Amino acid sequence: MLFVTALLWSTGGLFIKLIPWDAFAISSARSAIVFACFYSVGYRPKIQRTKSFALGVASFAMMCITFVVAMKLTYAANVTVLQFGAPIYIGLFGGMFLGERASAFDWKVICAVVI
């Protein structure tokens, strides 16, 4: 299953480029496939009726949609660079917006990811 996951994860951008649908249709189809996979193995997530849970769901949905939109509008390499830059952005902006300071270990890990 891990091999299949890695294969699908690696070829996701290719299929996004090849399918002639718009980004929202592809995002919806990807979500439906994931739902079907989870549902078929009996996974039933516990849905919480809290504001933070709803914000997390909305943020994840927007992340999935923007990933597909970016794949449709630019080269896959650009999207990959932006994704791998995420730890850097978190290290830099976490202090500005959340008041969290990145530790020396955090910066070492960020540097290792960049390399």
Side-chain angles (χ1 to χ4, degrees):
M1 293 306 287
L2 189 59
F3 175 76
V4 172
T5 302
L7 183 66
L8 291 174
W9 189 281
S10 299
T11 58
L14 172 68
F15 290 121
I16 290 170
K17 290 286 193 185
L18 292 177
I19 295 173
W21 301 349
D22 70 346
F24 292 101
I26 293 173
S27 288
S28 298
R30 287 168 53 108
S31 297
I33 291 167
V34 170
F35 175 79
C37 290
F38 280 148
Y39 193 80
S40 69
V41 296
Y43 179 71
R44 306 291 186 272
K46 181 181 177 187
I47 297 174
Q48 302 171 4
R49 306 274 182 198
T50 63
K51 184 187 278 188
S52 60
F53 184 78
L55 183 61
V57 168
S59 298
F60 186 76
M62 286 306 301
M63 186 267 313
C64 291
I65 291 169
T66 55
F67 170 77
V68 176
V69 169
M71 277 292 186
K72 281 300 220 184
L73 296 178
T74 188
Y75 296 107
N78 291 344
V79 178
T80 303
V81 167
L82 289 172
Q83 280 183 318
F84 280 102
I88 299 168
Y89 308 138
I90 291 170
L92 293 174
F93 297 128
M96 288 183 203
F97 297 113
L98 302 174
E100 297 175 347
R101 292 187 51 91
S103 68
F105 178 73
D106 293 335
W107 287 112
K108 288 176 186 175
V109 171
I110 290 170
C111 289
V113 168
V114 169
I115 291 170

